[in-house]
Amino acid sequence: MRKIGANDHELMRGLIREDPGSLESIIEKWERPLYSFAYRYTQNEFATREIVQETFVRVFTKRERYNFDYPLSSWIFTIAANLCKNKARWHKRHPEVSLEASLGNGGEEGERSMMDVISSEGELPAESIEKLEELDMLKQAVMGLPHDLRTAVLLHHYEDLSYKEIAEVVGCSVRGVETRLYRARKLLRVRISQIAEREEEAQKKTAPFSSEAVHRVFSNAVC
Amino acid sequence: MSKDQSIDKLLNHWKDDFQADPYLSSRVRSEAARRQTIEGKRGDSVAIWIGNAFSRPGLAACFAAVFMLVGMGVSQLLNQGVVRDSDELTFSYRLSIDPLYRLQAMAGADEFTNRSVVPARHKSQEAPVLLAGLGWLQGQLDLSKPQYERVTALHGDYEVAFDELFAQLLESHRAYRAFDKKRMDSDVIDYFQLYELLQTQKQLSEESARLTEELLGKVEQVIEPSQRDRYRELLDSIYPSFSFREKKTTDA
């Protein structure tokens, strides 16, 4: 878990004084958490790199405006979450097919990616495929969450932010964070089961066609 | 395993392939520097431009003159638009309350000369919409709701009378035209018929003027003294010779 609090404030004071290496220290500490959050939010490597860089640019250029009453985590994730939201809005208006996203049919969001396949090496194929399918469903379900629920669940689960810190990022009360996390989990469960049902139906529809096609190809080859 | 735990377990399986970007800090610094430069240049260039302009009195005076002329032009255009709108509404209202004026505007009748009718500047092929005229009057006089209701009721009382009078005027106008055509063709004048036609015209135009004045007088009684000046101003623009007199009113 990250150390939060006084150390962050020291780093920010150093950045404001323009101490050599202060920016590098902040980047060293926050690059990974920011990447982790933005990557799961956008599910796009390129967009993630852009968001991480832009977050640090804003921290650097607006360092004078930093409010020492709040933890740095709240500020830094507020910037990142807003950038993620803007990016998602932009992608909605300008849809594109990610080279990284899909190995499956049609290139839809949440399909199995090359990165997932590579990272699952070493496991038994059946287990690995099952896990990948579950993970795909989870990713699709996360992408379907509204901004504040997605932000709350990602910050809580992966970044270990306290309810108070999440409340500051999302702009609600601590009780509001609890409600959002509850709603996010519930929505994730519902969506995952919906996706699973949909995929099951799709498999049922395509299976006879595929076997028929294989049979036809095979008989042609024999002839 | 609870439902939440199964979701948490699934979330735990989602790994990312983070690799630190070795050039991130240098890119952040250069991007921040670039933005600061752009902002500085933007501020500088505006300041330099203003400074240059005002360091030369001749140039500054030229700019001031151009801005003033543009401003005057724009205000003139806006003013013309307002005047045009107001003019059209005045026309519409007058068509509603003045059958003789309506005849002139719609049928081009110019033989009814026994009353000082300001010639219609517009021509209309359609019957006036009283509601539009009332809306205009409401806007001009800033009538309260009860006042507006009373004024509307008054106009409503006269509406049928005005329409009937307009129909009679139109009929008289057509008869006069037919008489004129006959006179031109035959070169013979039936003076008795002409006398009758002119008498009818006189009677109808007087009736039209009387009804219009009666209605306007009644409207003036409904409005407050503070609205009266504006009302008279409006009537002056429509009927320059119009004066409020205590008249014996008739049931329209």
Side-chain angles (χ1 to χ4, degrees):
Chain A
M1 190 189 277
R2 286 173 290 103
K3 284 179 198 170
I4 53 171
N7 191 27
D8 283 331
H9 286 173
E10 269 313 303
L11 288 173
M12 279 309 292
R13 283 194 186 93
L15 192 66
I16 292 165
R17 287 194 304 265
E18 297 189 16
D19 289 352
S22 55
L23 177 66
E24 284 71 16
S25 304
I26 289 175
I27 288 177
E28 194 185 339
K29 182 173 179 186
W30 288 99
E31 186 186 0
R32 188 185 172 104
L34 276 176
Y35 179 94
S36 158
F37 168 73
Y39 182 73
R40 289 186 175 94
Y41 191 107
T42 61
Q43 298 183 26
N44 179 300
E45 171 81 15
F46 185 73
T48 302
R49 294 281 177 200
E50 264 189 355
I51 288 166
V52 171
Q53 180 180 318
E54 182 59 27
T55 306
F56 286 121
V57 169
R58 291 195 186 182
V59 167
F60 185 70
T61 53
K62 297 180 196 305
R63 58 191 183 275
E64 304 282 353
R65 294 188 208 165
Y66 177 64
N67 186 346
F68 284 91
D69 293 339
Y70 295 95
L72 180 60
S73 57
S74 302
W75 192 46
I76 221 164
F77 277 114
T78 302
I79 297 171
N82 286 334
L83 290 169
C84 285
K85 191 180 180 184
N86 293 345
K87 187 63 89 178
R89 208 181 288 157
W90 193 89
H91 274 288
K92 212 173 181 180
R93 291 197 198 119
H94 307 85
E96 61 185 45
V97 178
S98 165
L99 291 173
E100 173 197 353
S102 176
L103 289 176
N105 48 353
E108 285 173 16
E109 219 167 26
E111 292 286 338
R112 196 173 307 163
S113 77
M114 180 65 91
M115 281 168 66
D116 293 328
V117 173
I118 292 166
S119 65
S120 68
E121 274 177 9
E123 291 176 354
L124 289 172
E127 276 177 29
S128 171
I129 287 168
E130 198 179 328
K131 202 178 276 181
L132 278 172
E133 281 173 354
E134 281 181 345
L135 210 52
D136 281 344
M137 288 189 271
L138 174 75
K139 286 176 184 178
Q140 286 185 51
V142 167
M143 278 305 261
L145 288 178
H147 168 76
D148 53 345
L149 301 192
R150 205 188 316 182
T151 304
V153 82
L154 294 179
L155 291 179
H156 176 69
H157 195 87
Y158 295 104
E159 311 310 327
D160 283 338
L161 257 63
S162 67
Y163 281 10
K164 194 169 177 289
E165 286 170 304
I166 297 171
E168 278 152 10
V169 175
V170 177
C172 65
S173 63
V174 172
R175 182 92 186 105
V177 174
E178 285 174 11
T179 316
R180 278 166 176 75
L181 287 173
Y182 170 77
R183 278 172 53 207
R185 284 205 174 92
K186 196 176 166 188
L187 262 177
L188 284 176
R189 275 200 305 275
V190 171
R191 292 221 166 125
I192 286 171
S193 62
Q194 282 172 347
I195 295 163
E197 277 172 24
R198 216 168 45 221
E199 287 192 354
E200 211 170 300
E201 276 176 27
Q203 270 182 353
K204 274 180 197 168
K205 279 181 191 170
T206 53
F209 173 77
S210 305
S211 60
E212 199 179 291
V214 169
H215 179 73
R216 199 167 49 238
V217 171
F218 185 70
S219 52
N220 284 344
V222 170
C223 289
Chain B
M1 194 189 292
S2 77
K3 286 175 182 175
D4 279 354
Q5 280 174 331
S6 67
I7 288 290
D8 285 345
K9 198 182 162 195
L10 207 50
L11 286 167
N12 285 337
H13 281 140
W14 190 2
K15 307 287 181 203
D16 63 70
D17 281 1
F18 170 72
Q19 282 176 343
D21 181 351
Y23 306 108
L24 184 58
S25 65
S26 60
R27 280 212 308 276
V28 168
R29 279 187 193 283
S30 65
E31 180 61 23
R34 192 183 66 83
R35 284 184 199 178
Q36 277 167 355
T37 314
I38 289 170
E39 275 174 25
K41 271 185 186 167
R42 204 178 292 149
D44 286 352
S45 58
V46 172
I48 289 166
W49 187 85
I50 292 170
N52 281 343
F54 285 94
S55 64
R56 288 187 273 180
L59 195 62
C62 279
F63 274 121
V66 167
F67 286 135
M68 222 166 73
L69 283 171
V70 169
M72 280 165 68
V74 168
S75 80
Q76 187 74 14
L77 278 174
L78 290 174
N79 209 18
Q80 273 176 1
V82 172
V83 168
R84 204 179 307 121
D85 289 349
S86 175
D87 205 25
E88 278 172 17
L89 282 165
T90 314
F91 171 65
S92 171
Y93 178 65
R94 194 174 170 191
L95 284 177
S96 308
I97 60 156
D98 189 339
L100 195 56
Y101 185 76
R102 200 192 305 179
L103 182 74
Q104 196 189 39
M106 292 178 75
D110 51 6
E111 69 273 17
F112 293 79
T113 51
N114 56 342
R115 186 182 160 225
S116 59
V117 179
V118 177
R121 273 182 288 170
H122 307 269
K123 294 285 172 204
S124 174
Q125 296 299 316
E126 291 171 8
V129 181
L130 179 61
L131 214 61
L134 287 172
W136 167 78
L137 196 64
Q138 203 273 337
Q140 290 290 327
L141 301 180
D142 195 19
L143 300 171
S144 64
K145 200 182 170 193
Q147 280 178 329
Y148 180 73
E149 281 169 359
R150 285 196 63 193
V151 167
T152 306
L154 274 175
H155 283 79
D157 290 345
Y158 280 80
E159 198 177 1
V160 178
F162 284 146
D163 286 345
E164 280 174 0
L165 196 55
F166 172 70
Q168 287 172 24
L169 281 164
L170 194 61
E171 187 54 43
S172 169
H173 167 67
R174 282 176 184 154
Y176 182 82
R177 281 283 158 91
F179 169 83
D180 205 33
K181 191 171 181 297
K182 193 176 156 193
R183 179 183 64 83
M184 295 292 278
D185 291 344
S186 64
D187 216 15
V188 176
I189 301 171
D190 183 344
Y191 286 103
F192 287 109
Q193 194 187 357
L194 178 62
Y195 177 77
E196 276 177 12
L197 281 169
L198 292 175
Q199 277 298 102
T200 312
Q201 282 183 359
K202 184 170 178 284
Q203 189 194 337
L204 289 173
S205 57
E206 277 174 1
E207 178 66 3
S208 170
R210 190 186 62 75
L211 276 181
T212 302
E213 283 182 25
E214 193 176 290
L215 170 65
L216 296 176
K218 282 183 181 177
V219 170
E220 206 200 34
Q221 285 166 16
V222 171
I223 59 176
E224 298 289 325
S226 57
Q227 297 162 321
R228 207 157 287 163
D229 288 343
R230 176 66 187 141
Y231 184 60
R232 290 190 174 178
E233 220 174 86
L234 289 172
L235 291 183
D236 271 349
S237 68
I238 301 173
Y239 301 108
S241 58
F242 183 83
S243 61
F244 286 96
R245 297 181 296 272
E246 285 302 317
K247 278 180 165 274
K248 193 174 79 177
T249 59
T250 56
D251 187 5

